[in-house]
Amino acid sequence: MKHPIQRPASRRHNHLAFSITHILTGGALLLAGAVVSPAFAQDQATNLDRITVTGSNIPRTNTETPSPVQVVTRQEIDRSGKTTVAEYLQTLTSDGAGSIPKTFGNGFAGGGAGISLRGLGAGSTLVLLNGRRMATYGLADDGQKVFTDLSTIPLDAVERVEVLKDGASAIYGSDAIAGVVNIILRSDFQGAILRGSYGVSGDGDGDAKKATLTAGTGDLSSDGWNAFFSLDVGKTDAIKISDRKNRKWIGTGDIRRWGYDAADAQFLGGAYLSGGTAGGVGPNGSVFDDRNVDDENPAFLVALPGCADLTTIPGQSDATAQAQGCLWNPAQLYRDLSPEEKYVNVFGRASFAFGEGGEVYTEIGYSKKETIFSNTPSGVSGGWGYPGGPVNASSGDGAVVLSPTHPDNPIPGQASRLRYSAWDVGPRVTNNTNEFNRFLVGVKGNWGDWSYDTAYLHSGTDLVNKRTGFLRYSAVQCALGDPACAGGVWRIGDNAGLNSQALYDYISPTISARAKSSLDMFDFTVSRSLMDLKGGPLGLAMGTEWRKTSNSLTPQTYTDQGDIIGLGYSAYDGTQNVYAGYVELSAPVLEQLELSAALRYDKYESGEGKATPKLGVKFTPADWIALRASYAEGFRAPNPAENGDGGLAAFSNARDPVRCAIDPDNECTARSVAIITRPNSGLKPEESKSYSVGIVLQPTSSTSLTVDAWEIKRTNEIAQGSTADAIAAGNVLRDSNNIGGVANSGTILAVNTQYVNANSSRVRGIDTDIRQTFDLGPGQLEMDLQWSHLLKFERTEGDTTVDYVGTHGNCDVTNCIGTPQDRINFGTTWKQGPWSVSGVVNYIDSMENKDRRGGDYLAFYEDGTPVEKISSFTTFDLSGRWNITDAFELNASVQNVFDRIAPLDPSTYGAVNYNPLHFSGAIGRYFTVGAKYTFN
């Protein structure tokens, strides 16, 4: 998400295969209480209860399939101390670059939360609720990638989450390229459960209050019906950067004490760059002296007075401001570390039995969430884009200037180009209010030998985005450059106290945008057993699906005219109708061998269509070992944000090879540039192929191991054109501050590109899952470890292939969080009677601070040496539960028990001096206490 603006496993009693069933689904051995039918020694399916597993429409006698599925139980979520589905899923080792945290409040999709399996982006990860889709979040990530917001789901209604880690396009739709996250809610409930929790950080802030009520009545088998609802309400207070001012680099933009130059600290404001020919965006203001300018003598910055009274950084004076700029700490003064959030989530379900095994069911969901994020004040200059092209407010005819007679102009008689951070206007504040709704009605049952399930689904979102503190370009030009401006004359710096509220209302009006999305879907699936094979029944499933999706975003007020300083234009509008038919077979040809195959055809109304197959095999040569493999294809048609009406302008970090070559000591650091991206009506659909090969071992009744190697390759990948390639090709807007006498070498303000079908991306890795259970005296100790190791993350565009594994790239995607090679979670749970204690270690590997393997460093110390690595990060979370009675439970958790501080990361733009992957190390130790009461 770029900125649109700124910166069990209980012991098995008899059969060895008893726990392998759970290993194949990725996680039920983690906690106690799992009891299933034997996995490998299959009885006749017609004599057993049947279940449906994510990744297949064919009911089975066990939960294992040829595809790797990780099952996340409620108990796993609870032991982590996380209070939402989104927060927990983003700790999975399979989550990667492109994941959308709720803390990036100034991103395009601020307020939303999404998961990015395999680092392929939230738009390539299909999220289901009870096996069916939801409407996407109103705001597209990076202004391009539509995704499902995970924060609309009430946690107390969640029974489990199943994560399918290979392609599932043949089952759920062609866009399930990276995998599927299926959030499974309770299907029935009787009684009532009341929960409450309160959380607070070790610094006494970030208070989180939450209450949930789940209540239901009726028994489907005896009464013929069941109905229940779950209500989830909460409020989380914002945490300011200033609240962590003593937490080393977390609470300050000034990282000079850790070896950096002021010019290379991206969150330290006011510094002069490039020998005083750029920068200077401070609270006092500075102007360019344009007198006597030629190729050898560029204009230089002259500071306005008042620096010492306007900055909080010691040692600043008018003299130092003239020499280096007025250094100040805008992030510490104005920016949130995490946003304020208020929400209410409701889910209800009712089911009614009829006939022999028939059921009519309906589900209703509603969510309303408000997120408020405060950021640094706006500057008065810069570059950004809109449909009419790039805007240059820094130089040329469009420059923001102080008029020759402006009382604050230090160079009388000259229209002076101004650099100024409008602290007197106040912070830029974004308020997102999102409403989500979902309605489902369906019927399922049996007709002779056939089982059927059919439903109609409607889901939608309505999001209102309001912003204050942003500057209207034309009004600013008038108030600063025209002595007779109808809105008044804007006094700046230490004279800002002379302004009226009417003047501020004129230059900084409240602006807004509105985003809507909707999904209407009808599906019909039938399944049956065709015949008995040596290993069990030959299963068949067939189905059809129609869905209509629409996404629209009105541009922020005035951005369609390019009239809001620094705020990128983003808008889209489009509708897609998709028709699909699919068939699936499961063939246990031998007791030791199961084959599976599926084929789906998706047809888009726009003309794109493709058949996507999936093949799987599971081989069980002995009770203690199983081998599995799968192959799948997928494709994703361009969405309205990519080939419809609209476009976007965002900000990212990029190096300038022209200036770096001229002045390698000062001009090689990646700095903020505007990225202007146009839709492309000529886009082709993305296509993908995925492979997985795995082994499951159960050497003892209490030890299990799974290892899965996987690869996903996307071709015709829809992405923004490479920023580096666009810069190399000269598709840029530059300032007038040329250096070294080289023409057209000014600072890059904006880069022009469009959505393109990049040649391909190839991601390859290995997932390992190890589980062990011990009996210790009267209690039981359970341990589990998940390890995701990336081997490749290649992207090919044209004749160039780059690999991002183990580096800070790709910075063209959400947050610039990088691609760590290893992520490991290690959990333990000890139980004894009414007590349980759990601990979870979370490890994220170090990264080379380069844009790609063998590429360029992204940041440098003051002495010119590169910042070579972003350190690894490890945290430990602790939780405990005490069942005082059968009805009453107390629980508590501590996240980041040892108060580890996130490593300093000078390159990411998603957070101030730390990587968003390391968010818990920015917040510090966090405590939560809660209680649950069950009414019988």
Side-chain angles (χ1 to χ4, degrees), residues 632-644:
E633 296 182 8
F635 93 114
R636 182 180 74 84
N639 65 48
E642 296 162 336
N643 71 348

Side-chain angles (χ1 to χ4, degrees), residues 677-736:
T677 309
R678 303 180 304 278
N680 182 354
S681 61
L683 289 175
K684 300 176 182 178
E686 292 182 342
E687 297 185 6
S688 70
K689 294 181 179 180
S690 64
Y691 311 83
S692 72
V693 178
I695 184 171
V696 181
L697 299 174
Q698 181 93 24
T700 73
S701 61
S702 59
T703 305
S704 62
L705 166 69
T706 66
V707 180
D708 291 283
W710 55 270
E711 178 178 286
I712 301 175
K713 181 178 180 180
R714 288 194 301 194
T715 55
N716 289 329
E717 180 183 355
I718 300 171
Q720 291 172 302
S722 166
T723 300
D725 288 350
I727 293 173
N731 296 324
V732 298
L733 173 68
R734 292 185 177 272
D735 204 343
S736 60

Side-chain angles (χ1 to χ4, degrees), residues 23-90:
I23 294 303
L24 285 169
T25 57
L29 279 180
L30 179 59
L31 298 168
V35 178
V36 300
S37 56
F40 291 157
Q42 296 182 348
D43 296 330
Q44 288 296 320
T46 52
N47 298 324
L48 297 175
D49 292 336
R50 305 181 63 151
I51 54 178
T52 300
V53 180
T54 298
S56 175
N57 286 312
I58 298 176
R60 305 170 56 84
T61 59
N62 55 71
T63 57
E64 76 173 75
T65 71
S67 297
V69 179
Q70 179 178 358
V71 176
V72 178
T73 66
R74 273 299 306 277
Q75 202 168 358
E76 288 180 76
I77 298 174
D78 290 343
R79 76 171 184 178
S80 72
K82 307 299 183 185
T83 57
T84 68
V85 174
E87 286 181 290
Y88 180 83
L89 291 179
Q90 288 173 347

Side-chain angles (χ1 to χ4, degrees), residues 52-358:
T52 300
V53 180
T54 298
S56 175
N57 286 312
I58 298 176
R60 305 170 56 84
T61 59
N62 55 71
T63 57
E64 76 173 75
T65 71
S67 297
V69 179
Q70 179 178 358
V71 176
V72 178
T73 66
R74 273 299 306 277
Q75 202 168 358
E76 288 180 76
I77 298 174
D78 290 343
R79 76 171 184 178
S80 72
K82 307 299 183 185
T83 57
T84 68
V85 174
E87 286 181 290
Y88 180 83
L89 291 179
Q90 288 173 347
T91 68
L92 296 181
T93 60
S94 54
D95 187 38
S99 184
I100 303 166
K102 72 171 187 177
T103 54
F104 194 19
N106 59 322
F108 272 106
I115 183 172
S116 171
L117 292 178
R118 309 306 190 190
L120 290 173
S124 292
T125 301
L126 180 60
V127 175
L128 306 174
L129 186 65
N130 288 342
R132 290 183 170 94
R133 295 172 180 252
M134 298 187 290
T136 56
Y137 190 55
L139 299 176
D141 181 31
D142 287 345
Q144 171 202 3
K145 309 174 189 76
V146 295
F147 69 98
T148 301
D149 181 17
L150 294 169
S151 60
T152 60
I153 300 161
L155 179 61
D156 207 46
V158 175
E159 181 177 293
R160 66 187 185 278
V161 180
E162 296 181 351
V163 182
L164 179 65
K165 295 183 178 181
D166 65 359
S169 296
I171 308 299
Y172 296 111
S174 58
D175 52 349
I177 288 175
V180 176
V181 176
N182 187 11
I183 301 167
I184 300 171
L185 307 186
R186 301 176 188 268
S187 59
D188 61 73
F189 182 76
Q190 297 179 67
I193 296 177
L194 179 64
R195 294 176 185 258
S197 67
Y198 175 76
V200 64
S201 77
D203 290 80
D205 53 20
D207 297 28
K209 309 174 188 70
K210 181 178 179 180
T212 63
L213 173 63
T214 302
T217 185
D219 184 271
L220 194 63
S221 59
S222 60
D223 300 328
W225 63 280
N226 175 262
F228 76 95
F229 76 93
S230 184
L231 172 66
D232 185 6
V233 296
K235 180 180 185 296
T236 303
D237 294 340
I239 298 177
K240 311 291 291 186
I241 292 286
S242 58
D243 295 330
R244 298 295 181 273
K245 64 175 58 178
N246 296 320
R247 195 172 174 79
K248 294 187 177 180
W249 45 79
I250 303 300
T252 179
D254 187 1
I255 53 176
R256 290 176 295 168
R257 74 189 81 170
W258 292 283
Y260 294 82
D261 185 82
D264 291 335
Q266 62 171 316
F267 296 102
L268 175 64
Y272 288 165
L273 310 177
S274 305
T277 64
V281 185
N284 59 322
S286 55
V287 298
F288 283 98
D289 187 342
D290 287 325
R291 298 170 295 182
N292 304 316
V293 172
D294 55 36
D295 289 342
E296 299 297 328
N297 298 288
F300 60 90
L301 285 163
V302 176
L304 276 65
C307 177
D309 294 329
L310 296 173
T311 180
T312 59
I313 295 181
Q316 302 299 295
S317 65
D318 286 348
T320 62
Q322 290 293 354
Q324 66 180 10
C326 182
L327 304 182
W328 74 310
N329 212 333
Q332 187 180 82
L333 293 172
Y334 299 99
R335 181 161 167 163
D336 287 339
L337 188 67
S338 64
E340 176 185 345
E341 186 177 73
K342 295 179 286 187
Y343 62 87
V344 55
N345 296 326
V346 182
F347 174 78
R349 192 179 197 277
S351 53
F352 306 89
F354 70 91
E356 294 294 328

